[in-house]
Amino acid sequence: MPRSHHWKCAGNMARVSKPVSGIDTASRRLRIVNSVVHSVVHPPGSQIGPRVQGHVQLMLIHAGTMVVHVDDRAPYAVPAGQMCILLPGHTEVIGFAEGAETRQTLVRGDLDELTPQMNRWLEAVRPTRPLSSALTYMAREALITEQTRLTAQGALVDALATALLWRFIAEFENLPAALPAPIEDARLFIHRNVQSDIDLTAISAAARVSPEHLVRLFRQHMNTTPMRYLWDRRVTHGIELLTSSGLPVGSIAACSGFKTSFHFARKVKEATGLSPTALRACNWSQHSTDANDDHRPSQAAARSQERGEAGG
């Protein structure tokens, strides 16, 4: 989180939105509906198909390998650490590697408000890409949501599946700026262990590089260090809990990896300009004001009501 960022209690904060290049306004409404998420283990040497794909499928491979044949195109392999997208309307055969199980997370649904332009874009894009920490995290959240049945009648799973699809799209759009694998591995380890007592040695071990090399990579590609990234993520996590839950500040500090509430409060104030209690009060009072505004009659309606009461 940038050090110069400060929260404001009143007024609308400016939001900068950079559109995904080559995708028109109508295409940006694309979403996945009727989503399901599963963790699937395929036996060695097993096969799916031939079949005609009726949905969009996002398949994240965590172990093993699968080989995909689509229509009459050349087959392609999807090894562990990659994901692929399968689009509806194509005949496909999927084979799984001999000698070991293939373990994957499968996200499946229907494409809603798919425009012809967006369909052409999806058909033209390369169907595989390396798993980033963000893609892995989104898929894991969707799976946990499904497993715990906290789906909001499916709306939450649809939202997570849609976010996963758009992240896949956005990473392709920014492929030249893709981060090196050690950074992605380090970020994923940090996200999974944000509340744990981890250090640079543990992070670099997860990234399979030396601590010095990992620091150089973070400085070069992210203008920060692994430990600064960890603390920024902890602060962000704490702010999310402060503004979205009623947990005590001490509990939030512990959940966010801080050993003391004092340290947590200092970091939150550096990031937002407010203490944890002030930030929570500001956020909640703003939401309360917005809710009251939604139910407050317009001036015209109020005048009409007054005239009616006077005439009665």
Side-chain angles (χ1 to χ4, degrees):
M1 179 177 293
R3 304 289 184 198
S4 60
H5 176 73
H6 288 270
W7 287 59
K8 296 183 179 179
C9 210
N12 295 322
M13 297 180 66
R15 296 182 181 274
V16 179
S17 177
K18 182 179 178 181
V20 180
S21 63
I23 298 176
D24 61 2
T25 302
S27 295
R28 294 176 67 190
R29 292 196 293 268
L30 172 67
R31 63 192 184 112
I32 298 179
V33 296
N34 306 320
S35 307
V36 294
V37 186
H38 297 298
S39 180
V40 184
V41 178
H42 298 278
S46 59
Q47 178 177 302
I48 298 175
R51 69 178 182 186
V52 177
Q53 179 61 253
H55 309 278
V56 59
Q57 290 195 0
L58 299 166
M59 307 169 79
L60 294 80
I61 309 301
H62 307 297
T65 300
M66 69 180 189
V67 177
V68 182
H69 301 251
V70 178
D71 298 331
D72 57 355
R73 306 170 193 169
Y76 59 87
V78 190
Q82 292 199 10
M83 72 174 289
C84 78
I85 182 170
L86 300 176
L87 299 172
H90 297 281
T91 300
E92 55 191 36
V93 177
I94 302 175
F96 299 95
E98 301 278 357
E101 295 178 333
T102 297
R103 182 167 53 86
Q104 67 175 221
T105 299
L106 169 65
V107 181
R108 184 183 72 229
D110 300 318
L111 293 171
D112 188 44
E113 300 198 49
L114 176 64
T115 65
Q117 177 177 334
M118 193 60 188
N119 185 60
R120 289 192 296 271
W121 194 94
L122 289 172
E123 291 286 355
V125 74
R126 193 177 75 245
T128 65
R129 73 159 287 101
L131 279 177
S132 65
S133 57
L135 291 169
T136 305
Y137 179 79
M138 289 177 179
R140 183 166 60 91
E141 289 301 302
L143 182 61
I144 292 173
T145 297
E146 187 83 85
Q147 291 173 338
T148 56
R149 300 184 180 179
L150 297 174
T151 64
Q153 289 77 50
L156 180 54
V157 179
D158 285 349
L160 290 167
T162 299
L164 184 65
L165 173 64
W166 279 108
R167 179 72 192 201
F168 180 86
I169 292 169
E171 288 191 10
F172 264 115
E173 285 288 318
N174 294 278
L175 192 58
L179 296 173
I183 293 182
E184 291 290 7
D185 291 340
R187 292 174 67 213
L188 183 58
F189 180 77
I190 288 170
H191 293 178
R192 287 175 171 170
N193 297 277
V194 68
Q195 69 183 35
S196 303
D197 186 15
I198 58 176
D199 57 15
L200 179 60
T201 300
I203 297 170
S204 59
R208 297 183 293 277
V209 294
S210 69
E212 296 77 14
H213 184 53
L214 188 63
V215 169
R216 284 195 295 271
L217 287 174
F218 266 76
R219 288 188 187 279
Q220 178 182 352
H221 295 276
M222 300 190 68
N223 196 31
T224 187
T225 67
M227 293 306 295
R228 286 199 199 103
Y229 183 88
L230 168 63
W231 284 109
D232 286 346
R233 178 58 193 157
R234 284 172 169 167
V235 172
T236 300
H237 186 259
I239 289 172
E240 289 170 354
L241 290 176
L242 280 171
T243 56
S244 64
S245 78
L247 290 172
V249 172
S251 297
I252 292 175
C255 287
S256 303
F258 291 86
K259 293 183 177 179
T260 68
S261 298
F262 175 78
H263 187 201
F264 175 62
R266 181 164 59 84
K267 287 292 188 179
V268 169
K269 189 159 188 177
E270 286 178 4
T272 69
L274 298 172
S275 69
T277 52
L279 175 63
R280 170 176 277 172
C282 169
N283 183 269
W284 286 7
S285 65
Q286 183 65 36
H287 282 302
S288 176
T289 301
D290 292 343
N292 291 335
D293 287 343
D294 291 340
H295 292 88
R296 188 176 298 140
S298 65
Q299 292 182 356
R303 287 194 296 269
S304 176
Q305 182 177 1
E306 291 171 357
R307 286 195 298 271
E309 291 173 351

